[in-house]
Amino acid sequence: MGYRTNEYGQPVGEPVPGWTPRPFPTRVTLQGRYCRLEPIDDRHAASLFAAYQLAADSRDWTYIPLERPESLDDFRAYVASLQASADPQHYAIVDPATNHALGTFALMRIAPAAGSVEVGFVVYSPVLQKSTAATEAQFLLMQYVFDTLGYRRYEWKCDSLNAPSRTAALRLGFQFEGIFRQAVVYKGRNRDTAWFSIIDSEWAMLSRAYRQWLSPDNIDTSGRQRQRLQAFMPERSLAAG
């Protein structure tokens, strides 16, 4: 972004004419072709618990600030805590063919005055991982934030040691912004946090890339995408870290 100077000759940011605080996200259902996002509640608990238990161990929770609940009763209590939270605002990612929940994520650090929000608490079951539905779910939430709510900034943050999360952020079109050292203590250990973002001026090109990737024209006879998402993505302008 550029800048201009004020009456003292100091550089200041570009004006944002007509800016007003954005709406706080509401608990909406977002329908896609491969998945549906629903505000999480107890209806999702049993299928979500079963989906997470398909994993042989709890390594998918290593970088989540709590441990995987190992009984259905504990999991229902966990889901109730997610449902009660306004920020983070948690969504279940549902298979429209079975109505089973296969993963969750959340909008968090919601800042309507700045038009900024983060996607986090991403926990995908083995069924959802590396699937078309997993990518579409991210697109549906981005689309809601930028196109419906009119936010300016969409963030992704993770433990800097979480290589799969960093790779996922870049694949999804986020720009790497840097490392916040000693940003968090969780599970009794330090976290240096890697920051990524998408801003509103980038969204039109990214939205087009997602639509092209999800288009039936990009699906082969086995149901898989003919071209990778990166084939449609604009080139990055910032270092990837």
Side-chain angles (χ1 to χ4, degrees):
M1 290 186 179
Y3 63 87
R4 56 179 185 156
T5 56
N6 64 10
E7 64 270 32
Y8 307 111
Q10 298 167 308
V12 295
E14 290 296 314
V16 185
W19 173 257
T20 58
R22 299 294 87 193
F24 197 90
T26 59
R27 298 181 184 277
V28 297
T29 295
L30 302 173
Q31 182 67 57
R33 182 180 291 114
Y34 302 98
C35 71
R36 184 172 64 250
L37 308 186
E38 297 177 350
I40 195 164
D41 62 34
D42 190 65
R43 294 173 301 144
H44 305 112
S47 60
L48 195 55
F49 177 73
Y52 286 153
Q53 289 297 313
L54 293 174
D57 52 43
S58 60
R59 71 184 62 200
D60 293 333
W61 296 67
T62 294
Y63 301 107
I64 300 297
L66 71 164
E67 302 297 343
R68 183 180 73 173
E70 296 299 336
S71 73
L72 182 55
D73 285 344
D74 287 345
F75 196 81
R76 288 190 184 280
Y78 163 68
V79 167
S81 72
L82 300 187
Q83 182 182 1
S85 173
D87 184 358
Q89 187 178 105
H90 294 269
Y91 289 85
I93 303 169
V94 177
D95 179 352
T98 63
N99 290 320
H100 290 169
L102 303 177
T104 62
F105 56 8
L107 292 176
M108 56 190 291
R109 292 171 58 94
I110 302 166
S116 175
V117 66
E118 175 185 348
V119 58
F121 277 94
V122 181
V123 188
Y124 289 170
S125 71
V127 180
L128 189 59
Q129 290 168 8
K130 298 182 179 180
S131 68
T132 301
T135 299
E136 185 185 49
Q138 293 287 344
F139 169 63
L140 291 173
L141 204 57
M142 290 181 200
Q143 184 175 243
Y144 174 59
V145 165
F146 284 117
D147 293 344
T148 302
L149 300 180
Y151 275 54
R152 304 175 66 231
R153 177 177 168 85
Y154 191 68
E155 299 176 338
W156 177 295
K157 303 186 188 78
C158 63
D159 192 312
S160 64
L161 300 176
N162 187 351
S165 183
R166 294 181 64 160
T167 298
L170 295 174
R171 174 183 175 271
L172 292 169
F174 288 83
Q175 302 277 349
F176 175 71
E177 295 184 328
I179 303 292
F180 278 37
R181 299 178 300 163
Q182 294 188 187
V184 176
V185 176
Y186 74 125
K187 293 183 173 178
R189 60 178 186 258
N190 174 65
R191 183 177 107 166
D192 293 349
T193 298
W195 283 55
F196 301 80
S197 73
I198 296 170
I199 58 175
D200 54 358
S201 61
E202 300 163 343
W203 173 240
M205 290 187 295
L206 291 176
S207 177
R208 184 163 52 250
Y210 276 102
R211 291 178 186 280
Q212 289 173 322
W213 186 77
L214 290 165
S215 168
D217 292 339
N218 192 43
I219 306 296
D220 65 21
T221 55
S222 68
R224 300 183 64 85
Q225 274 68 25
R226 299 179 190 276
Q227 296 192 70
R228 299 169 64 236
L229 181 59
Q230 274 55 48
F232 303 106
M233 284 287 186
E235 292 189 10
R236 295 189 182 92
S237 58
L238 297 180

